[in-house]
Amino acid sequence: MNGAECLCKILEHKGVRHIFGLFGDIQTDFAHAVRKSRIEWIGVHNEKSGGFMADIYGRVKGSPGIIFSTLGPGGTNLTSALANATQDRSPLIAISDQVSQNDFRTEAHQYVDFVNAFHPKTGITKQTFLVSSADHLSGVFDQAFAKAMEEPKGAVHISIPMDILGSPVNGV
């Protein structure tokens, strides 16, 4: 099982039935995993509108709405929706694709430091995570769901490098 398949299993176990978002042209592992899962993919025009849809979904359902964004500027399009969810106390989890870990540098094409951009000190999210290994997916998502549901509820951001989604998961 690779990281993308593991992520779908984690989300299914958490009761996620819908994900709003966009697949980027470089992210095929997660797209294939979602298609094979019980999760319904709801394609959106852009990350901002998908983020607001996940915000409202979380408010109505009482559990985190999920938005998946492309990397780089696609992830920054989430800013307004995440800030809105945090300010209005809506449980939301935003997952952003990220460049491979070997490309974490400011001059790399499509790299944005999401950990600092969405840090809680900005008021946009309650917490942000960077997944460093496919083996850490479960632990990170346990923490993220708990934080999104902890009062006051709000948005949590998770950045997942594309090499992790394609990596094998040990112990599964």
Side-chain angles (χ1 to χ4, degrees):
M1 177 180 299
N2 68 21
E5 294 162 336
C6 180
L7 175 54
C8 284
K9 295 289 182 203
I10 290 165
L11 294 173
E12 286 176 337
H13 180 72
K14 298 277 185 199
V16 173
R17 297 293 170 248
H18 302 90
I19 296 176
F20 302 93
L22 292 171
F23 287 127
D25 57 352
I26 59 173
Q27 186 42 265
T28 57
D29 291 310
F30 190 59
H32 291 305
V34 169
R35 285 186 192 107
K36 292 190 276 184
S37 76
R38 295 178 307 208
I39 298 170
E40 180 182 358
W41 181 264
I42 300 171
V44 298
H45 180 68
N46 59 48
E47 290 87 350
K48 182 178 179 180
S49 62
F52 280 111
M53 292 165 77
D55 172 4
I56 298 304
Y57 186 90
R59 251 185 258 192
V60 170
K61 296 292 273 184
S63 60
I66 310 293
I67 174 69
F68 184 88
S69 80
T70 59
L71 67 164
T76 64
N77 286 339
L78 294 170
T79 304
S80 295
L82 298 184
N84 191 71
T86 298
Q87 296 298 316
D88 286 347
R89 291 155 174 66
S90 300
L92 184 150
I93 295 179
I95 305 165
S96 289
D97 201 9
Q98 180 58 282
V99 299
S100 295
Q101 294 173 91
N102 293 339
D103 293 327
F104 279 21
R105 57 189 187 285
T106 56
E107 69 276 5
H109 181 65
Q110 298 288 317
Y111 173 74
V112 172
D113 181 352
F114 290 132
V115 172
N116 282 314
F118 293 123
H119 192 278
K121 70 183 175 199
T122 65
I124 296 169
T125 67
K126 291 179 66 176
Q127 188 151 357
T128 185
F129 297 92
L130 172 62
V131 179
S132 59
S133 164
D135 296 329
H136 297 155
L137 283 165
S138 183
V140 166
F141 276 84
D142 284 346
Q143 292 177 65
F145 272 78
K147 191 68 170 179
M149 292 301 293
E150 176 185 279
E151 294 294 340
K153 296 175 183 175
V156 174
H157 182 267
I158 302 169
S159 181
I160 306 177
M162 68 178 89
D163 54 316
I164 287 174
L165 289 172
S167 296
V169 178
N170 298 311
V172 176

